[in-house]
Amino acid sequence: MAGEQARAERFAEHFRAVYLTFHRRDRPRSELPGASRAVLEHLALAGPLTIGEAAAHLRRAQSVISEIVTHLERDGLLERETDPGDRRRTLIWLTPAGHEALRRDREVLGADLLARAMARLPPGQADALNAAMRALIECAHPDGVPPYGGGSHDHDVKL
């Protein structure tokens, strides 16, 4: 086990160095207020919901969620649509701009910084690096269920 522990510690050191070298520097990590991000993230996970359903899940007053939804709708991140199963209900759902805002908000590393560095690697080494990272993540979860959900939702980590 000593060899595995030493390799793990070296990897952890490299991981910290990668983060410090390639973390996003273009803007603050989140342009979304916490409550707005929570509404968008929940919708991305759960799919279209009513304001009442979102309020119940987020344990906030319906009036508070309604205000947040109105703001997000005004910003073009959410839209309201009639529930096809019950025309009396109105569902809220992410627009393409809402999905994009969440994607940007989740970015930790600067893809442009990584791309420049990977372009300088010998042929095939960037692909090998990505394959090794994927294999490491998969080995951590022998049941095949990664901690970030692993489903088909837009929010899932793309490997």
Side-chain angles (χ1 to χ4, degrees), residues 129-158:
L129 175 62
N130 283 321
M133 294 290 284
R134 174 192 288 266
L136 181 64
I137 293 165
E138 290 172 354
C139 287
H141 307 285
D143 60 358
V145 180
Y148 50 80
S152 61
H153 297 294
D154 237 20
H155 71 284
D156 291 332
V157 175
K158 303 292 189 254

Side-chain angles (χ1 to χ4, degrees), residues 111-123:
D112 56 334
L113 296 171
L114 283 165
R116 281 196 297 273
M118 286 184 166
R120 298 177 66 192
L121 290 172

Side-chain angles (χ1 to χ4, degrees), residues 57-115:
H57 174 79
L58 296 168
R59 296 183 180 162
R60 302 291 295 268
Q62 193 165 334
S63 60
V64 171
I65 298 301
S66 183
E67 186 177 320
I68 293 168
V69 166
T70 298
H71 176 75
L72 291 169
E73 185 179 29
R74 188 174 47 245
D75 289 347
L77 302 178
L78 288 183
E79 61 188 2
R80 298 173 199 250
E81 57 188 51
T82 302
D83 183 346
D86 181 351
R87 311 291 277 153
R88 297 170 295 176
R89 291 173 21 120
T90 300
L91 302 174
I92 51 175
W93 184 231
L94 283 81
T95 63
H99 283 289
E100 178 60 20
L102 276 179
R103 186 197 62 75
R104 279 192 321 270
D105 191 64
R106 291 180 189 125
E107 287 180 352
V108 176
L109 302 179
D112 56 334
L113 296 171
L114 283 165

Side-chain angles (χ1 to χ4, degrees), residues 7-46:
R7 283 192 288 279
E9 289 172 7
R10 276 195 308 277
F11 180 86
E13 289 173 18
H14 292 145
F15 187 86
R16 280 189 294 277
V18 165
Y19 174 78
L20 292 172
T21 302
F22 297 108
H23 71 88
R24 274 181 43 188
R25 293 176 177 88
D26 56 338
R27 58 187 178 273
R29 172 128 161 71
S30 177
E31 296 175 6
L32 294 169
S36 294
R37 183 183 323 102
V39 169
L40 292 175
E41 288 284 1
H42 182 61
L43 286 171
L45 285 168

